Amino acid sequence: MKVAIVTGASKGIGRACAIKLAQDGMTVVVNYSRSDAEAEAVVEQIRAAGGEAMAYRADVSDPAQVKEMFRVVSKTYGQIDVLVNNAGIVRDEYLMMMNNDNLDKCLDLNVKGYFYCAQQAATKMFRRRQGVIINMSSVSSVMALAGQSVYSATKGAVNSMTQTMAKELAPYGIRVNAVAPGFIMTEMVEQLPEEKKEEYLKNIPMQRFGNTEEVAGLVSMLCSDACSYMTGQVLVLDGGLAL
Ligand code: NAP
């Protein structure tokens, strides 16, 4: 049975990915940093459907916690086949208002966190000459949204990292791709002011926000043999927003 680690899987897109990969027959590690009850609920939902999952609390912006998580998962399940690098935060602020604390938090989780997890995953996958890494990017990496100079920079970094990692790891049977969602209905989008949501909606040709299952469906496909020759790509999933 394949083993997947999904970071930030207690809520939102990560939660949907964890449930979908479990439906695909994988054992899933539900990583999260604070929301114990929500993470346990995801595990219970997977087990109730006959799947196998464990919750693992670790702040993925901390390299020591990441290393320990991968050590424990490898020891428990013997292998790691899939990493979904998903845990991310948004701290929207206009350039002149942005403070260094939020700048550091975004860089630490959205860039360094992805790097720490990918590095650990690659070390484990390399030995077995197989594996899939999916990095959750954002449409903000390919189009400019006012107030997102830091967030978009982190997601641009995710895209570049995806390409370089893909090139380095391809000879070892490890594929690395990124998914760049547009506006998906999660806490991240729900917390936006109503007028902002309406403004964004006007610019989406499909005239609706996406849902988490739609992102999970693409992640599932990228993990499957249907995409066995695809690596280093950034797939935009945004209802046409960036067109
Ligand atoms: P969300 O609903 O806010 O969920 C974030 C998840 O990340 C939670 O499970 C949270 O768990 C976890 N998390 C936060 N900090 C963490 C840390 N330091 N270590 C480990 N886990 C941590 O977010 P989302 O909207 O699903 O977004 C998920 C990803 O998709 C992000 O990378 C985001 O940039 C990207 N994305 C989202 C959208 C969108 O419209 N929603 C669009 C484009 C891209 P705890 O509560 O336990 O901390």
Side-chain angles (χ1 to χ4, degrees):
M1 199 184 239
K2 285 189 174 171
V3 178
I5 298 182
V6 183
T7 69
S10 59
K11 297 177 192 163
I13 292 171
R15 177 180 184 279
C17 290
I19 291 167
K20 176 65 181 147
L21 295 183
Q23 285 167 354
D24 291 346
M26 297 186 201
T27 293
V28 180
V29 178
V30 175
N31 161 259
Y32 67 104
S33 69
R34 283 169 310 189
S35 309
D36 299 303
E38 284 87 344
E40 280 305 331
V42 178
V43 169
E44 273 166 34
Q45 187 175 335
I46 290 171
R47 289 191 181 149
E52 169 58 19
M54 72 183 257
Y56 193 99
R57 183 174 182 150
D59 176 350
V60 294
S61 66
D62 176 346
Q65 291 186 44
V66 170
K67 196 168 181 193
E68 181 60 8
M69 174 169 72
F70 278 82
R71 190 192 67 76
V72 170
V73 173
S74 285
K75 196 160 177 249
T76 307
Y77 295 119
Q79 67 195 64
I80 294 168
D81 300 280
V82 169
L83 165 67
V84 183
N85 247 335
N86 166 79
I89 48 168
V90 66
R91 292 286 184 275
D92 287 358
E93 201 59 89
Y94 291 113
L95 176 65
M96 287 185 281
M97 320 280 272
M98 178 60 82
N99 63 48
N100 287 346
D101 186 39
N102 280 335
L103 170 65
D104 287 341
K105 281 202 172 96
C106 281
L107 293 171
D108 286 349
L109 181 58
N110 299 5
V111 180
K112 291 187 189 175
Y114 278 40
F115 181 85
Y116 299 142
C117 290
Q119 190 177 45
Q120 287 299 314
T123 308
K124 310 288 180 204
M125 292 168 178
F126 162 81
R127 293 194 198 118
R128 297 177 60 236
R129 296 292 195 269
Q130 66 177 55
V132 174
I133 298 174
I134 312 285
N135 294 322
M136 200 56 67
S137 180
S138 165
V139 72
S140 304
S141 65
V142 293
M143 68 180 288
L145 292 170
Q148 292 207 322
S149 55
V150 172
Y151 182 73
S152 65
T154 66
K155 295 303 184 178
V158 167
N159 295 359
S160 310
M161 210 190 272
T162 299
Q163 292 178 332
T164 311
M165 287 175 183
K167 204 163 194 177
E168 280 185 27
L169 298 174
Y172 306 107
I174 304 167
R175 296 189 295 107
V176 187
N177 289 293
V179 173
F183 292 103
I184 306 299
M185 278 317 277
T186 67
E187 270 181 30
M188 196 179 263
V189 168
E190 278 157 17
Q191 74 193 4
L192 292 169
E194 276 311 312
E195 63 273 17
K196 267 274 172 219
K197 280 194 239 176
E198 277 166 31
E199 184 191 319
Y200 289 148
L201 214 42
K202 278 188 208 140
N203 294 318
I204 303 173
M206 285 181 74
Q207 300 182 327
R208 66 171 177 87
F209 294 126
N211 61 58
T212 56
E213 287 75 18
E214 289 172 313
V215 183
L218 179 55
V219 168
S220 161
M221 192 178 85
L222 285 170
C223 291
S224 77
D225 285 345
C227 294
S228 53
Y229 199 50
M230 182 188 285
T231 198
Q233 302 306 305
V234 179
L235 284 101
V236 177
L237 185 77
D238 67 348
L241 175 66
L243 297 174

